[in-house]
Amino acid sequence: MSSPAAAGAPLPPGSATGLTLIVPTLDSYRLLPRLVTSLQRQSWPHWRVLFIDGPSRAEHRAWLEALCHRDKRFTWQPQEPTCPGIFGAMNQGFLAAPADHWLLCWGSDDWAASPTALEEALKATRPATPGGDPPDLVVCHGRYAGPGKDGAVRLGRSTAFSSCGAYRLNLFLGSTPPHQATLIGPGARRRVDPFAAPFRLSADLDYFLRLSACADLSCRTLDLELVHMGEAGVSGQQTRRRLQEVRLAYGRAFGWLWWIPFLLRYVRRLWSRIPVLGKARMRTGQGR
């Protein structure tokens, strides 16, 4: 594994200069080399990774220690008992990351979609006009991936955030930013608290809905495939709880109208799983 590059591709003036990727882990060191390699190959090399590690076994901890020793851009912390679960680990990362850094939250089975993905995403963090404020969120595309019949990686459906209309309206229409493909800026971090209880599976939806209540929030969508995401996950195994949490999140945001975004969210999901219609969805930038 290589050490940090002395220099990388320059970014336009005003772009973010700091990016921290928060990666919760738990005995997942066999999955991590793909993520690590995809980052070390980035054309913009000044990112940082903070692993928040649950109660993993010694073999996993030794792997993290060795990686962090070889490449100082990687660091890790044991997960605090007061921050349980995946979103609790992300919250711990939110607090530990420098206040002026942009944040990305990935899983152990996620990886950068291309060697220029971070460079291209960070260009979108600059203000739209000279002297203006940067956006609070930069929302890109992601794509799910899993093993094919031959054991090779198979890329599946794309997940994206609709770029039509206002941010809160898009959420009401059932579209949700994929958190793995969303850069969270310092402005967003100052506006609302991070992922909240009692959400264990849909805290990202609740977070984005709470952000949407900020009248001056600025969200920029980018036609960029930023990340490939592993299809396996605990949320897919707890469908009933996830549906309950999604309903709760929409209820908190939209009151008795919760059923409209709830239904539209799953219509979009079904639509994206129909191959022909899914391709049309990808062309129009709608998703998740």
Side-chain angles (χ1 to χ4, degrees):
M1 296 180 182
S2 60
S3 59
L11 296 174
S15 299
T17 56
L19 173 68
T20 296
L21 291 94
I22 301 167
V23 183
T25 61
L26 179 64
D27 288 323
S28 53
Y29 70 96
R30 291 185 176 87
L31 297 174
L32 288 171
R34 184 166 53 188
L35 179 152
V36 169
T37 300
S38 76
L39 291 175
Q40 291 177 327
R41 291 176 175 171
Q42 289 298 300
S43 57
W44 186 79
H46 307 296
W47 44 265
R48 292 176 46 182
V49 172
L50 174 58
F51 297 111
I52 305 296
D53 188 52
S56 295
R57 294 187 289 268
E59 189 175 11
H60 174 86
R61 292 278 175 95
W63 191 94
L64 288 182
E65 288 282 4
L67 170 64
C68 296
H69 177 75
R70 290 192 300 270
D71 190 333
K72 300 304 181 184
R73 293 174 294 183
F74 295 93
T75 58
W76 77 278
Q77 295 179 2
Q79 186 170 358
E80 298 292 340
T82 55
C83 301
I86 292 175
F87 288 106
M90 293 181 188
N91 281 347
Q92 185 174 328
F94 266 61
L95 295 174
D100 61 342
H101 271 211
W102 285 68
L103 303 182
L104 268 175
C105 296
W106 283 4
S108 297
D109 54 352
D110 300 335
W111 70 97
S114 75
T116 60
L118 294 185
E119 178 188 348
E120 294 176 58
L122 284 166
K123 288 178 181 177
T125 64
R126 65 187 185 274
T129 58
D133 293 325
D136 299 304
L137 300 173
V138 172
V139 184
C140 307
H141 301 270
R143 186 178 294 275
Y144 289 104
K149 293 181 179 180
D150 58 356
V153 173
R154 175 185 56 82
L155 295 180
R157 67 182 179 93
S158 178
T159 178
F161 184 56
S162 176
S163 58
C164 61
Y167 173 71
R168 187 169 177 84
L169 175 61
N170 289 331
L171 289 168
F172 183 74
L173 295 176
S175 187
T176 310
H179 78 258
Q180 300 96 325
T182 300
L183 280 76
I184 300 171
R189 295 172 65 189
R190 289 191 297 267
R191 280 173 167 78
V192 300
D193 292 333
F195 306 114
F199 297 94
R200 292 209 309 258
L201 305 175
S202 298
D204 50 348
L205 171 62
D206 172 72
Y207 176 73
F208 291 131
L209 286 167
R210 286 187 287 116
L211 275 175
S212 75
C214 302
D216 59 344
L217 187 82
S218 173
C219 176
R220 183 174 297 169
T221 57
L222 188 62
D223 188 15
L224 168 70
E225 190 164 290
L226 176 65
V227 60
H228 293 158
M229 304 171 292
E231 289 180 330
V234 65
S235 62
Q237 302 169 10
Q238 300 181 36
T239 302
R240 183 175 180 179
R241 181 179 178 91
R242 187 174 187 87
L243 291 174
Q244 291 172 340
E245 290 188 8
V246 169
R247 175 178 175 176
L248 175 61
Y250 283 135
R252 287 183 171 186
F254 300 119
W256 66 271
L257 295 175
W258 67 268
W259 59 273
I260 298 176
F262 183 91
L263 289 177
L264 290 175
R265 173 187 176 95
Y266 292 106
V267 167
R268 287 175 179 270
R269 294 289 180 89
L270 290 173
W271 181 278
S272 72
R273 284 170 169 79
I274 301 174
V276 175
L277 297 180
K279 290 179 181 179
R281 176 195 63 86
M282 288 162 57
R283 288 195 297 270
T284 58
Q286 298 185 10
R288 208 165 178 248

